């Protein structure tokens, strides 16, 4: 996946904005009950749906293999009954090998130990169990139980609507991002749950930024990122900010270069050197 248009590229701005934060620009606006409920709804697990699909696929495969074995026995019996020569089996296939390909320097790599599940109706792509995300701008590690990418509904013009209607008539729903009948647009929201650690890739000579929480979200459309659940914290070098109560929430607006904490109960500390104004005569006297 190339990061130029990836939702993970947008998520990188969340970390980058934290790099430049020190004091809040304005009093925080409390989050509404609807906003908090939306975060919890996005964070709700999709594992049961993925497991159901996997079980369905396994059952289908089992049925196909059983039907194949039955057909093979029937064919062998037919040859014997009609005194026909048996067909010589083909030479065994060579042992398979994994695809040998390396990601490019600008690619985003997402790996997981569990299933990958895409629901075209809900327009959500789900990665399960021990998910890892590696991009040129940041890495997501820790214990990520589930990573979800939500897509907007695809905006289509009149010509595409006609093609979509024909595809629907043929009952061709299309796969992920496939065909004129696909309703999947651009990535809209990214949600990770577990015990997530996000680490921004530092520039040369700079300290790395790390942030952690139980739920990490980024909404591309509204330019709003949140770190919540557990005991959220972030560090950069000797500076840190940590929640003093569980299930607190830190909100970031990367493009506005702002952040706030809608709920109280935080501690922030670090060297004051970076807060001094070199143009201030009092500061010059002290040097």
């Amino acid at each position: 996946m190339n990061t130029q248009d990836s939702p993970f590229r947008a998520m990188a701005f969340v970390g980058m904005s934290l790099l430049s934060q020190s004091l809040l620009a304005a009093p925080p606006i409390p989050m509404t009950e609807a906003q908090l409920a939306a975060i919890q709804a996005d964070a709700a697990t999709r594992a049961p749906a993925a497991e159901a699909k996997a079980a369905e696929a396994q059952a289908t495969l089992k049925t196909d293999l059983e039907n194949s074995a039955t057909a093979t026995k029937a064919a062998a019996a037919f040859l014997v009954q009609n005194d026909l020569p048996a067909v010589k089996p083909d030479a065994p296939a060579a042992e398979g090998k994994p695809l040998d390909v390396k990601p490019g320097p600008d690619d985003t790599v997402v790996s997981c130990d569990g299933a990958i599940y895409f629901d075209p109706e809900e327009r959500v792509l789900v990665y399960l169990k021990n998910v890892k995300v590696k991009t040129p701008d940041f890495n997501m590690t820790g214990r990520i139980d589930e990573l979800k990418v939500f897509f907007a509904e695809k905006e289509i013009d009149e010509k595409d609507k006609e093609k979509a209607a024909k595809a629907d008539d043929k009952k061709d729903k299309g796969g992920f991002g496939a065909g004129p009948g696909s309703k999947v647009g651009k990535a809209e929201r990214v949600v990770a749950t577990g015990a997530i650690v996000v680490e921004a890739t530092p520039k040369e000579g700079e300290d790395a930024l790390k942030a952690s929480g139980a739920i990490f979200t980024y909404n591309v459309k509204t330019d709003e990122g949140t770190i919540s659940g557990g005991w959220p914290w972030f560090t950069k070098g000797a500076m840190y900010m940590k929640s003093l109560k569980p299930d607190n929430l830190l909100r970031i607006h990367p493009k506005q270069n702002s952040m706030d904490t809608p709920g109280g109960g935080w501690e922030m500390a670090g060297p004051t050197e970076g807060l001094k104004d070199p143009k201030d005569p009092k500061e010059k006297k002290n040097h």
Side-chain angles (χ1 to χ4, degrees), residues 86 101 119 145 150 167 180 187 199 206-207 224 231 240 249-250:
V101 61
D119 186 332
D145 300 323
F150 294 86
E199 182 172 4
E206 291 186 351
D207 294 317
E224 181 172 286
W231 296 78
Y240 73 84
L249 185 144
L250 172 68

Side-chain angles (χ1 to χ4, degrees), residues 28 71 129 144 181 225 252 278 285:
K129 193 177 179 183
I144 305 176
I252 310 105
K285 277 184 180 180

Side-chain angles (χ1 to χ4, degrees), residues 49-113:
E51 290 166 359
K53 285 291 182 183
E56 182 182 324
Q58 288 289 344
T60 300
L61 176 60
K62 182 181 178 183
T63 300
D64 288 344
L65 291 174
E66 289 173 349
N67 290 340
S68 175
T70 300
T72 299
K73 289 179 181 178
F78 174 79
L79 294 176
V80 172
Q81 289 171 4
N82 292 275
D83 198 22
L84 296 173
V87 179
K88 292 183 179 180
D90 294 331
E95 185 179 349
K97 294 182 180 179
L99 179 65
D100 185 12
V101 61
K102 293 182 180 179
D106 295 325
D107 286 346
T108 291
V109 180
V110 182
S111 63
C112 62
D113 291 344

Side-chain angles (χ1 to χ4, degrees), residues 14-251:
V14 174
M16 296 306 172
S17 71
L18 283 172
L19 292 173
S20 58
Q21 300 303 323
S22 55
L23 301 176
L24 304 182
I29 300 172
M31 295 193 78
T32 66
E33 290 296 326
Q35 288 175 315
L36 293 171
I39 290 175
Q40 292 301 321
D42 281 350
T45 182
R46 296 301 200 281
E51 290 166 359
K53 285 291 182 183
E56 182 182 324
Q58 288 289 344
T60 300
L61 176 60
K62 182 181 178 183
T63 300
D64 288 344
L65 291 174
E66 289 173 349
N67 290 340
S68 175
T70 300
T72 299
K73 289 179 181 178
F78 174 79
L79 294 176
V80 172
Q81 289 171 4
N82 292 275
D83 198 22
L84 296 173
V87 179
K88 292 183 179 180
D90 294 331
E95 185 179 349
K97 294 182 180 179
L99 179 65
D100 185 12
V101 61
K102 293 182 180 179
D106 295 325
D107 286 346
T108 291
V109 180
V110 182
S111 63
C112 62
D113 291 344
I116 298 176
Y117 167 64
F118 178 69
D119 186 332
E121 296 302 319
E122 292 192 22
R123 301 186 303 279
V124 58
L125 176 62
V126 184
Y127 301 87
L128 295 172
K129 193 177 179 183
N130 193 28
V131 185
K132 307 289 182 187
V133 179
K134 184 176 177 61
T135 84
D137 300 305
F138 72 98
N139 297 328
M140 290 180 69
T141 57
R143 195 202 76 235
I144 305 176
D145 300 323
E146 198 164 328
L147 176 72
K148 295 182 282 291
V149 182
F150 294 86
F151 295 85
E153 188 168 2
K154 186 178 182 181
E155 296 180 6
I156 55 177
D157 57 28
E158 290 303 319
K159 289 182 179 179
D160 285 336
K161 283 182 181 178
E162 291 178 10
K163 291 179 182 178
K166 290 179 181 178
D168 284 338
D169 287 341
K170 295 178 181 178
K171 295 184 179 180
D172 177 16
K173 299 297 181 183
F176 170 54
S182 174
K183 299 177 182 178
V184 179
K186 292 184 177 180
E188 193 173 59
R189 306 187 307 282
V190 180
V191 180
T193 53
I196 302 106
V197 176
V198 181
E199 182 172 4
T201 303
K203 294 180 181 179
E204 188 175 353
E206 291 186 351
D207 294 317
L209 170 107
K210 289 185 179 182
S212 179
I215 304 173
F216 184 90
T217 74
Y218 182 70
N219 189 310
V220 179
K221 189 176 181 180
T222 62
D223 179 46
E224 181 172 286
T226 67
I227 300 172
S228 62
W231 296 78
W233 57 262
F234 79 82
T235 65
K236 181 179 182 290
M239 185 191 77
Y240 73 84
M241 181 174 179
K242 68 177 183 177
S243 175
L244 297 177
K245 64 180 184 180
D247 300 322
N248 225 333
L249 185 144
L250 172 68
R251 181 169 54 187

